[in-house]
Amino acid sequence: MRHESAEVVVLGAGAAGCATALFLARRGVNVKVVERDAIGSCASGYALGVLNPHTGAGVSGPMAVFARASFEMHRELWPELQEQADVDIQVREAPELRLFLSAQDVDAQEEEMTLWSQTDGFSIQWLGPEEVCRLEPRINPRVHRAALLEHIAMVDSYRYTLALAQAGAKVFIGDIDMDA
């Protein structure tokens, strides 16, 4: 095990740890990442990779500004990662078809759907049961309604974590220590 000095030691080489180290190193901080297993070997390597600034606890309330800013930071970072790393993070935007089985289901997600309709760069299209079944015939025709949400982003979470680590490795004064 190496014992190098560092101003900041980041525990864990998941997406959060690698991103933290990358951003600190860009600011001239001597960073060391310590990982027990391997880069992206836990949640960061297996997560779905959906980035939706309108879904999550508190997003329609106190976390709304933070969620939107975080989403924009991701968008700004993707081209840099594609350029700096030898890993294709497989960024794509894909629509989501959100099904509602009853009027109560629609009411329960009214705040989130309102955010979709009011946020620049995002769109929502409401579909009735017939339109839903034409779009996807395997859906039960008793569906109450659906919302077609545009511009949800996805990345391959494992590849994204590797790209963060590779981009960071070009800036780190230290390295990622896998012996800890």
Side-chain angles (χ1 to χ4, degrees):
M1 183 182 321
R2 295 181 299 265
H3 295 284
E4 301 168 5
S5 64
E7 293 174 84
V8 175
V9 175
V10 175
L11 300 178
C18 289
T20 299
L22 170 62
F23 281 92
L24 285 171
R26 284 181 175 176
R27 287 167 178 74
V29 176
N30 181 349
V31 181
K32 180 164 188 73
V33 178
V34 178
E35 170 59 51
R36 180 179 55 194
D37 297 315
I39 297 169
S41 63
C42 294
S44 294
Y46 297 97
L48 182 57
V50 174
L51 299 166
N52 177 348
H54 298 110
T55 299
V59 169
S60 60
M63 296 298 289
V65 172
F66 177 73
R68 181 65 184 183
S70 297
F71 185 78
E72 291 306 321
M73 284 180 70
H74 272 282
R75 280 193 161 157
E76 292 168 9
L77 183 59
W78 296 333
E80 293 177 39
L81 288 179
Q82 291 299 136
E83 183 178 303
Q84 295 172 358
D86 297 327
V87 178
D88 178 5
I89 62 174
Q90 299 180 353
V91 175
R92 58 199 171 282
E93 286 190 357
E96 176 184 324
L97 187 62
R98 182 88 49 98
L99 301 176
F100 301 98
L101 303 178
S102 68
Q104 293 82 9
D105 290 344
V106 175
D107 292 342
Q109 293 198 23
E110 181 179 356
E111 283 184 80
E112 183 183 340
M113 297 303 105
T114 299
L115 276 173
W116 275 95
S117 64
Q118 294 177 346
T119 305
D120 289 339
F122 294 89
S123 65
I124 180 172
Q125 180 183 354
W126 287 101
L127 306 173
E130 302 81 25
E131 295 168 298
V132 172
C133 291
R134 270 196 303 275
L135 186 62
E136 177 49 72
R138 296 174 290 179
I139 293 176
N140 187 324
R142 292 185 291 174
V143 65
H144 173 72
R145 197 171 185 194
L148 182 60
L149 308 171
E150 296 287 345
H151 306 296
I152 293 174
M154 294 185 74
V155 297
D156 180 297
S157 60
Y158 179 67
R159 291 169 168 268
Y160 177 69
T161 305
L162 289 177
L164 286 166
Q166 282 186 8
K170 293 181 179 179
V171 184
F172 294 160
I173 295 170
D175 62 348
I176 298 178
D177 186 349
M178 300 299 198
D179 300 326

